[in-house]
Amino acid sequence: MGGSQAAGAPLPGAWFRGWLLPSLLLAPQLAVIAVFFLWPTLRALRDAFYQGDAFGLSEEFVGLRHFAHTLSSAEYGHALLLTLAYALLTSVLALAGGFALAVAVEGLRSGRTLFRTLFLWPYALAPAISAALWVFLFRPQVGLGAGLLEHAGVHWNPALQTGQAQALVLATTVWQLLAYNFLFYGAALQSLPPSLLEAAALDGARGWRRVRDVIWPLLAPTTLFLVVTDLTFVLFDTFGLIDVLTQGGPDHATETLVYKLYEDAFRNFDQGAAAVQSLLLMLLVTGLGVLQLRLQRRRVPA
Amino acid sequence: MMFRIAMRRFARAGLWLVAIMLAVPAHAARVPIQFWHAMSGELGVEVQHLVDGFNATQDRYQVIAVNRGSYDQTMLAAIAAFRAGSPPDIVQVFDVGTATMMSARGATVPVDALMQQQKQPFATGLFIPAAASYYADAQGRLLSLPFNASTPVLYYNKAMLARAGVAPPTSWAQMGAAGTRLLASGAKCGFSTGWPEWIQFEQFAAWNGLPYASDDNGYKTFRGVHLLLDAPAFRKHLGDLAAWSRSGVFRYGGPESNALPLFINQTCAMYMDSSSSMAAIAGGARFPWGIAPMPHAASVPGAPQNSLTGGASLWVMARVPADHLPGIAAFLHYLMSAPVQAQWARTTGYVPVTRGGYDALQASGYYRQNPGALVAVQELSNKPPLAWTRGLRLGYLPQLRQIQRNALEAVLAGKQTPEAALKQVVQQGDGLLQRFGETAGGER
């Protein structure tokens, strides 16, 4: 990211003559976009206006009814607020944790490789697998983690206690994201110009001052990138994690937008509602992407 | 996300396509019959045994059994394949998908009609009534073939009950009393339940002879059906569960069979779950255990009535080539035969769905050696089903179940009263049923 700035400016005269060759060169990519992005999107756009049975035997045009139904439903509003809170909380915790770990590890005199390897492990796991591990750890009466909590006097039953279920999902997500954020912050720290750090040291900045006033601002582009990737991860990739940990329960406590979408589309065969929800989710993520590009342009001048 | 899931399915479909293309030329002489099922692990192996048995008797047809993942995924795959114009010949659909399959006229071939047309001996009376009534239309004609049937039972820890000096409870009042004595004897929990919405709502309704929804649970029509779950008996049951949850008599362990470890590790002395969990319990329990019928509500006159069939049935899809139909009918006929039924029930723990299968098991002394296996059969056939204890014929049933589970969880967590929670269940459920009625068409 950011590094392609020099290649981005078109060279004068670097134009193809005619349109045949450029079209041919673009065709594979355009085909992929058309088949795997445009077509499903148009399909969802169409389905959002129709009410039909699961088998596609009959359907009727219902106008904006699905939109009205979705937007006015308390469940959707709940899922939206829950998702926003979950995404923000996860990102903040994972960013702070990843940054702290990276600063701590890069500041070590020895053993850096060991810690880098250890902290990276969670990232190598698929969300569903790390969720399965946490399920074993925190299954009431059976899991090691659950045993520790019971020992500490917590009546642990995430199947019933909404707060506990949310905490479990949050902890698993943060644990997984931490590795990713650690990796990027670590790489960014290594690529900081030593001259700047030395200058800061000469000026008397050390310890916390150096982290706050020199390192953190220099890492702003990385932070921005991580904020967007973390948010996107929470919006989409946590599906498997939630499915394994809580299946959206108890009482909708962990039913995020993407999980609700899955339930409506693939469990309830409610295609109209699912189409509306996927369109709204797409808008949300597109907005996030646009925001990232804007901010990036402003914060990182060429 | 939809896109990602679709991609994964797409990739899997591609793999199957390659596998089938490799497999088909070897049997090119025989007509292939695609049979999609949701039985994995040991159960999948047993399905393959049945299929191999059929194929060994055939020189014209070859049944190809394909596991398509979970029940949800299998049904979804069949629907997607139908929409794409290449449905499987036979698909296994779970109980809750029944109304969706049934409402999709033109997507399936009624099994009764197929068997008559193909001159295979067939009658609804060959099946045990509780299994037949779940999958039959209002005229009693079977639309799909009952295949794997189960029903909830009460598993109990003999040692823990002996220590507390109680017998397995037959009524819910006894359940509360037994739970209290169990706690007094040092147990951490009296009982827990698997599949909370299925067992504590659907089966609770049928077992106590209570209607679950109007119009005989939707058997009469899909239009204008409304839930009857706010009746006093349901309120009382939910209130009892909440009180027992506070006192420790009952411990909630989450959806599906997530609570099973509570029974296996002797935290809870009793556990309600499907009869098909017997193998899992036999494999895990390191203590003497037994099987008893579900408790009933003693205050409801006529209870216990009969329990409902859970599990799945086999649907024949429409728009398959006409020359497949004789082979499909022959395979279904084979599955109904007494030896096959007996073998299936003995190796899987499911209830035999034909009278012939049950008689064969009885004659072989199976039930004398495994009295626990008989409990499910007895519950299903405790009394002839009433018009509203034949089954459920409601659209969006997965969603309805989810609403009930959420209500139960809200009540147990102390966030809602049973009255308010059930009122909400009915209100939300009726909205769904109305939408289903609009798309499914009213006449049956």
Side-chain angles (χ1 to χ4, degrees), chain B residues 174-191:
Chain B
Q174 285 179 16
M175 183 65 124
T180 310
R181 290 183 62 176
L182 277 160
L183 292 182
S185 74
K188 285 203 203 108
C189 140
F191 75 102

Side-chain angles (χ1 to χ4, degrees), chain B residues 247-271:
Chain B
S247 68
V249 165
F250 169 60
R251 183 170 306 189
Y252 183 74
E256 300 182 10
S257 290
N258 287 355
L260 193 127
L262 293 175
F263 182 67
I264 297 289
N265 71 14
Q266 311 206 47
T267 303
C268 295
M270 292 177 277
Y271 175 61

